[in-house]
Amino acid sequence: MHTVTFYSFKGGVGRTLALVNVGVELANTGRRVLLVDFDLEAPGIDTYSALAPPVLTKGIVDYVSSYLEFRQAPDLNDYVYKVDQSDRVSGELWVMPAGKRDREYGSKLSRIDWQDLYERRDGFLLLEDLKLKWESDIQPDYVLIDSRTGHTEVGGICTRQLPDTVVSLFIPNQQNLQGLGSVVDAIHKQNKNSNKQINLEFVASNVPDLDDEHQILRRMMGKFHSRLSGNGPRLPRTAITTINRYDSMHLLDESIFLSERPRSRLAKQYRMLLKRIISHNLDDREAALRALTRSFPRGGRFEQLSIGDFEGGLSYSEQDKIQTVLRKHANDAEVHFLTGQLLKSRGDFAEASLQFARAFELAKEGNDAEIGKYHLELVNSMSSLDSEFDAMAHLEQLLQQSSSSLDMEQLLGLLGRFSEVPSRKWLGMKAFADLSASEMDDLVWQVSDSRSWQRFFVELFNRSSDQLPEQRIADFTNLTLAAIGSGQWCEVVKHLQEPEVLSSHRVDINFNFAMARWAADRFPTKKFFSKVLDLYDENPVAEGPNFLQCLAVCELVVGDIEMARNRIATCKALEHRSVFLEFSCWSYLRLGRDRFAQDLNEIERLVNGEQILPRFIRDADGSDVPDWTS
């Protein structure tokens, strides 16, 4: 149970409206919520039509009055009611009103001497007992208390005894600054002298949304930042949430904006406040996950970190948060997964593996749809620890899962890390068998630096096309490259019929067909390469190393030797600066800088009159001797 008091030194700041919006939204998102109206002189929660009780209901004033009369705390159930909202999918909303507002309400309130209650009648214990009853009888995730304004005994109860978090709302003027400052000082002082730490959230409310040409608002906000910091460091600019003045007739009928007008600016600002409140409650799963993700390092720092001491730049408060999150959410797979990612980002792969293993085991027990994600990270961390045998065993398990539950790019990277040559038995495993042709096309590019993986995906596609014969490998760009690179150029030529290619205006289709025909015929056909150059002249594109290389090959075949030489020279200059793998049309593989340069040198030898077949043809037939002449 996380108790939040909404307090303001002065009225007119929209305190109750903010509380009601936050409370209803918490319930609408699956939480159990209790709203408590401690603004006894001017109660307002039960005046909202969506929160109105079916009959007049007793509340705080009646509860305390009964205690004073009978010297015994009464049954809580007589002083609360459940809000009936049949359209709520999950979550519950309860209200403990200020009291039964009949003719007796005013006299009951006036007879309560709060100072006497605390000094002589165990008032502190009464309110502590009330909190325990809230927790045991209603079991709320959140209790939201609407506090009386000003400096009062009730204000002290609401801001220092009952809450875990105090939301202080104010209009940024001098009157609010002076009054709110002393209340905040009292909370800071209590935090220093007590084991219980009350969180503080500040909300500048009803702020004019106007030009601040004289810097009035800026100056006042600067004063609030300084004053509300107490004796600690100055509050950061983002520590104060702003809710602008909002002119709407819907305020008159006390609409709940987060439910009824969720896209309005006011609703968005309330939603921001809601997130700030939730962030203080690490029992709340949303806050726990956010605490972990916010702890990820910035700027690429990778330092050793263990669960025990959380070094590596985390503050003590962050360390405590993470330890608390793990303790409170010990059976939450996602919490362990994010903790593992945090540890991995800091370089502690051993501890990360333990967290990923826990996430995986919890996911298995609960049939979690995210099990594939947790399993992949477990294998990934194992691979960083050189646990090759264990990692490979887990990879075999992963391959039995559907590709829809896996990050296939990550899985492919792990398979490639442990096995340069893919196993044929993987072809029939569910992770690969479930892939669509377009998914294969995306994945094959990732492993297009490996001839054996190219062959693997082409065979995988051919198996799938047996069930879907209308699929053609030539309809997929990366699979076409893989087919040509792995020696299945006749397949490409068969699918890319000559009339279809010649009518196409795509440079890549025409070029790949020309290269496939070269491989199939062992002789380059000039008209196909000429068509590529004509298309390029009609629509020039950015000339990266691969494209320059392709143009050089075309110009070589059509006989424009000088232009081919110039292309190669330009390509060498560009590729010399590259640090990435580049696809080579000479090898039909993605290559590093040195191997790409070797391919350029071979093309240059061809330009200089030497007879040589493209490397992808020689790799397929094992021959370096061409059977064609220039």
Side-chain angles (χ1 to χ4, degrees), residues 418-526:
F418 289 110
S419 178
E420 291 184 8
V421 179
S423 170
R424 288 187 59 82
K425 69 179 179 180
W426 297 349
L427 289 165
M429 290 189 171
K430 194 171 180 59
F432 286 115
D434 285 354
L435 291 172
S436 67
S438 60
E439 288 171 331
M440 294 179 207
D441 194 56
D442 290 337
L443 287 172
V444 71
W445 179 253
Q446 183 181 335
V447 290
S448 59
D449 57 340
S450 164
R451 193 75 78 201
S452 58
W453 274 104
Q454 283 184 328
R455 293 192 184 101
F456 178 88
F457 272 101
V458 171
E459 185 169 345
L460 184 65
F461 174 85
N462 288 336
R463 287 191 177 198
S464 69
S465 63
D466 289 341
Q467 286 81 42
L468 298 171
E470 71 277 5
Q471 288 188 155
R472 305 182 313 163
I473 203 165
D475 293 330
F476 302 93
T477 302
N478 296 325
L479 283 166
T480 297
L481 300 180
I484 295 173
S486 61
Q488 300 194 39
W489 42 74
C490 290
E491 186 81 3
V492 175
V493 171
K494 182 180 72 174
H495 286 164
L496 280 176
Q497 298 298 323
E498 186 173 325
E500 181 183 354
V501 174
L502 291 176
S503 64
S504 169
H505 292 278
R506 282 182 53 177
V507 174
D508 58 337
I509 289 177
N510 280 270
F511 181 80
N512 288 325
F513 178 77
M515 295 298 282
R517 281 294 299 266
W518 185 348
D521 300 340
R522 290 299 195 276
F523 189 90
T525 303
K526 185 174 180 179

Side-chain angles (χ1 to χ4, degrees), residues 274-299:
L274 172 63
K275 289 180 180 179
R276 299 287 288 263
I277 291 170
I278 288 175
S279 70
H280 295 295
N281 180 19
L282 293 180
D283 281 307
D284 192 305
R285 185 172 186 270
E286 181 182 330
L289 297 179
R290 193 179 301 149
L292 289 171
T293 53
R294 284 181 173 176
S295 298
F296 279 90
R298 303 290 187 267

Side-chain angles (χ1 to χ4, degrees), residues 543-557:
E543 296 181 354
N546 168 254
F547 203 77
L548 288 168
Q549 183 195 45
C550 293
L551 291 174
V553 170
C554 293
E555 286 154 350
L556 165 66
V557 172

Side-chain angles (χ1 to χ4, degrees), residues 87 126 143 177 190 192 202 210 275 290 305 310 339 385-386 438 446 450 521 540 544 623:
D87 58 343
L126 171 68
V143 175
L177 180 63
Q190 178 167 307
K192 288 182 179 179
F202 300 108
L210 301 170
K275 289 180 180 179
R290 193 179 301 149
L305 178 71
F310 277 96
T339 304
L385 294 170
D386 297 324
S438 60
Q446 183 181 335
S450 164
D521 300 340
S623 170

